[in-house]
Amino acid sequence: MASRRFAEQLGVVQEGLQKSLAAGPTGTGPADPPCAFQRGTILVSGEDAGWLQESSDSPLRDMSPRRQDHTERAGLVRLSIGSAADEAELGDPMRPDDEVPEALKRLKDVADRRAIAAAPNHVIGITNGTVCPADEPWATTDPRSVRDVVPAPADHRQPLVLVIDTGLVADYGTLGFGDGISGAPRKDETNTGPDGQQFIREYVGHGTFITGLLKAVAPTALVHVSNVLDHSGAALEDDFTDRLFAALDQFQAEHTGWPDIISLSAGSPVFKDLHGLHTFSRFMEALRDKPTLLVAAAGNNGNSIRFWPAAYAAEPSTADSVVSVGALREDLTGRTCFSDFGPWVKVFAPGERLVSGFSAAARKLQYQHATFDQCQFLPPADEYCCTCRAPHHDGALSHQPPLALGEGSVADFTGTHDARWSGTSFATPLVAGYVAQRMARENRADARGVYADMCKDAERIDIAGETALKIVPSGFVVQPMDVDR
């Protein structure tokens, strides 16, 4: 069964956000991943929105631009254009949206008369391009990937970490992650099958899995887990920025300051000809004035196209405040097939078939995306048994029409709380935890300084002709999975 993962996932995200979405006009496959954005909508400043709506010289006049709403902290206006944004039905997100590219082209063409900073309202999420995470969770009773880490002395400073993700599952305290974890539990964790069985919704356990890895590496860290990405693991770019600021406001109220480290396993490539995320630049401006270190996943598109916000690690003004994290193979010999790479990816850490806590209740998970007969990224002659192919399963959304709930391949978590899972999403908390553990052990308060020292003494690895840091936290155990089971 051929897998159409981007289309399959974009449908899931659209349903979760309840906003009509579209894919970028380039995206031809893994080597050229499409970005996703809100259909029929661009982001501009309030002043520019007024001019585009009211001026007789507006290049969008025939597209009937309409102001939607103003984002609180992102500081931009959603401007509906043409007819696409008024559609009552969500429709197929893979059908073309010609109006957004056309509007952006017109604004670029009049830049000599009025320079307008405009962009699509990108989808920021843990899913993008091919699939992020790189596969779907596999129920396991194998030992967890990080074990027996010696805690820092009790009188040393406890690092403060904010995880921006999908939140925590209910009863996460039973998963054995230790103390020092806070965050609002998830709601609507399951769908009910025809026979009454409870099936875990996609991506519900993502934030929980990440928290388990981070706390295993840095057991004395105080970790707050936000549910900024509680709608199918995604948010529109302006909403994401607003919710990120809100999570930081809450954190600051409880801890009298920003966190030492933010762990973020989400992002997006951007629309052609753009550089960076339009609204996220407001957050980056605020970050420059704080001591916080942002550790961000490099994405799972298997190419060197920049994935934001991780790509801010290569910008001169933010290089000291952002760490971009790619994923190492199960045997740690090189990058995984799915991991993004390039000079903007600064660190590689284990990210394939890791084991951590996933579900606190006895439930099942229906696989949505089928595996491939061959790797999406590597030539057929490559013998590396990657996550594209194994463990094999039949995804419900890969069928046309999709399978009903409970049909196809199902992961059974009724006998275990743990999963095997892959992605740069999960390499990221290992690096965030590594920095936090070093802060705790050395009794230091400067995450950026610790990262700078880490860059001096860490092992180097060559990835596609570029040199990056190789970080394998203490306590990490290589445990290859029997992919035939």
Side-chain angles (χ1 to χ4, degrees), residues 3 66-67 99-100 154 157 267 288 322 375 472 478:
S3 179
R66 288 92 64 204
R67 184 189 299 247
E99 293 172 312
V100 166
R157 185 179 183 276
R288 280 196 290 268
V322 181
C375 178
V472 181
V478 176

Side-chain angles (χ1 to χ4, degrees), residues 38 48 52 103 112 117 146 164 190 199 208 222 280 283 298 301-302 319 337-338 346 382 391 395 400 403-404 424:
Q38 185 179 6
D48 287 335
L52 290 169
D112 58 336
V146 181
I164 299 296
T190 61
F199 286 85
T208 304
L222 298 177
F280 200 77
F283 168 76
N301 296 309
C337 67
F338 57 78
K346 302 300 183 182
D382 196 303
Q400 294 297 315
L403 300 178
T424 59

Side-chain angles (χ1 to χ4, degrees), residues 5-21:
R5 287 183 176 177
F6 180 78
E8 293 161 8
Q9 287 191 317
L10 192 56
V12 172
V13 170
Q14 177 175 260
E15 185 65 27
L17 295 178
Q18 284 297 293
K19 296 288 186 182
S20 185
L21 304 180

Side-chain angles (χ1 to χ4, degrees), residues 150-161:
V150 178
D155 61 342
H156 282 202
R157 185 179 183 276
Q158 291 180 285
L160 302 176
V161 184

Side-chain angles (χ1 to χ4, degrees), residues 288 292-293 312-313 315-323 447-449 451:
R288 280 196 290 268
T292 301
L293 183 70
Y312 285 108
E315 299 295 293
S317 62
T318 51
D320 66 335
S321 58
V322 181
V323 185
R448 294 183 187 179
Y451 172 60

Side-chain angles (χ1 to χ4, degrees), residues 40 47 52 71 86 103 105 109 128 213 343 433 460:
E47 181 182 357
L52 290 169
T71 60
D86 296 329
K105 178 181 180 300
D109 289 343
N128 211 292
L213 291 170
R460 264 61 178 175

Side-chain angles (χ1 to χ4, degrees), residues 187-253:
K187 297 180 180 178
D188 302 323
E189 291 186 8
T190 61
N191 291 316
T192 303
D195 57 356
Q197 287 192 84
Q198 295 296 302
F199 286 85
I200 304 166
R201 290 178 183 267
E202 269 206 301
Y203 317 124
V204 161
H206 191 262
T208 304
F209 192 92
I210 282 171
T211 302
L213 291 170
L214 200 156
K215 282 292 289 183
V217 176
T220 61
L222 298 177
V223 180
H224 182 80
V225 186
S226 171
N227 61 353
V228 165
L229 298 168
D230 59 348
H231 296 298
S232 299
L236 291 171
E237 182 185 329
D238 57 350
D239 282 342
F240 174 77
T241 304
D242 283 349
R243 298 187 76 182
L244 174 57
F245 274 120
L248 285 163
D249 288 344
Q250 179 186 354
F251 190 96
Q252 185 163 279

